[in-house]
Amino acid sequence: MVKNLLFVCTGNTCRSPMAEAIARDHFLKNNIEVRVFSRGISVFEETTASEHAILAMEKNKIDLTQHISRQITEEDVAQSDLILTMTKSHKMYLVNQFKQHENKIFTLREYSFQDKLDITDPFGGNYEVYVRCMEEINHCIRLVEL
C-alpha cells in the first residue's frame, strides 16, 4: 500500500507541484489516505511555484500559492513508497542516483498506463501551455491506482 507518494520534476516549480496539489486534492476527495509531496532534481534556491502554474491550478480551485520548491534528497527517496517523475530523463537520473530504489520509480504516464512517457515542460510557456500541462497531469493522476 502506498503511504508516501513523491512527484519529481526538474525545478519543482511547475509540473511536480501541480501534480502534488492535484493528487492531494483527488485523494482527499476519494478518502484515500496518502502523504503526497514533490521535489526537483535541480533546485538551486527555494522559490514559489511559477505564476502560470498558480493561475492554472486556480482553474481547478486548487491553491498552489504556499508551495516552496525543494531539492530531492536520499531521505525523500527512501521514505517514498512510489515515485512518479514527469519525464524519462528524470526517472533515469533517479535510478542512477538511487539504484536500490529503482523498483518504485516510474514516469507518471508510465504508471498511469499511458503510451507517451513524458509530461511536457511548460516552463517559459504562456498560461494556456500551463493549463494544458495541468490537464494532462490531472488526467494521468485520475488513472493512478494506489
Side-chain angles (χ1 to χ4, degrees), residues 63-102:
D63 182 12
L64 199 58
T65 60
Q66 301 304 305
H67 175 78
I68 300 294
S69 62
R70 303 258 191 269
Q71 176 68 31
I72 195 165
T73 66
E74 188 169 353
E75 182 180 340
D76 294 327
V77 172
Q79 72 180 359
S80 299
D81 300 305
L82 177 62
I83 300 168
L84 300 176
T85 68
M86 298 298 117
T87 68
K88 292 177 281 192
S89 63
H90 296 137
K91 175 184 174 178
M92 295 314 303
Y93 172 84
L94 294 178
V95 166
N96 288 331
Q97 293 294 313
F98 309 104
K99 186 74 171 163
Q100 69 277 24
H101 298 287
E102 102 176 275

Side-chain angles (χ1 to χ4, degrees), residues 21-22 31 39 50 60 74 84 94 113-114 128 131 144:
I22 290 167
N31 296 313
R39 298 290 187 264
S50 72
N60 276 0
E74 188 169 353
L84 300 176
L94 294 178
F113 312 107
Q114 302 291 309
E128 288 77 21
V131 169
V144 167

Side-chain angles (χ1 to χ4, degrees), residues 6-144:
L6 171 60
F7 290 99
V8 178
C9 70
T10 306
N12 193 223
T13 61
C14 303
R15 291 171 289 179
S16 61
M18 288 194 292
E20 172 189 359
I22 290 167
R24 184 176 292 121
D25 182 68
H26 173 70
F27 297 139
L28 182 67
K29 287 177 179 173
N30 289 284
N31 296 313
I32 299 171
E33 290 188 38
V34 60
R35 177 179 170 253
V36 182
F37 62 114
S38 66
R39 298 290 187 264
I41 61 172
S42 295
V43 178
F44 300 108
E45 65 179 67
E46 294 180 352
T47 185
T48 59
S50 72
E51 181 179 348
H52 286 318
I54 291 169
L55 294 173
M57 294 301 291
E58 285 177 359
K59 183 176 179 164
N60 276 0
K61 298 181 180 18
I62 298 174
D63 182 12
L64 199 58
T65 60
Q66 301 304 305
H67 175 78
I68 300 294
S69 62
R70 303 258 191 269
Q71 176 68 31
I72 195 165
T73 66
E74 188 169 353
E75 182 180 340
D76 294 327
V77 172
Q79 72 180 359
S80 299
D81 300 305
L82 177 62
I83 300 168
L84 300 176
T85 68
M86 298 298 117
T87 68
K88 292 177 281 192
S89 63
H90 296 137
K91 175 184 174 178
M92 295 314 303
Y93 172 84
L94 294 178
V95 166
N96 288 331
Q97 293 294 313
F98 309 104
K99 186 74 171 163
Q100 69 277 24
H101 298 287
E102 102 176 275
N103 63 328
K104 61 183 175 182
I105 303 171
F106 303 88
T107 70
L108 174 57
R109 292 192 68 94
E110 172 186 23
Y111 197 79
S112 64
F113 312 107
Q114 302 291 309
D115 293 330
K116 182 179 160 194
L117 297 181
D118 286 353
I119 301 288
T120 305
D121 189 355
F123 186 77
N126 62 24
Y127 170 74
E128 288 77 21
V129 170
Y130 278 80
V131 169
R132 281 194 302 277
C133 179
M134 182 265 305
E135 289 170 346
E136 182 179 8
I137 291 168
N138 190 24
H139 173 73
C140 290
I141 287 173
R142 296 195 182 292
L143 298 174
V144 167

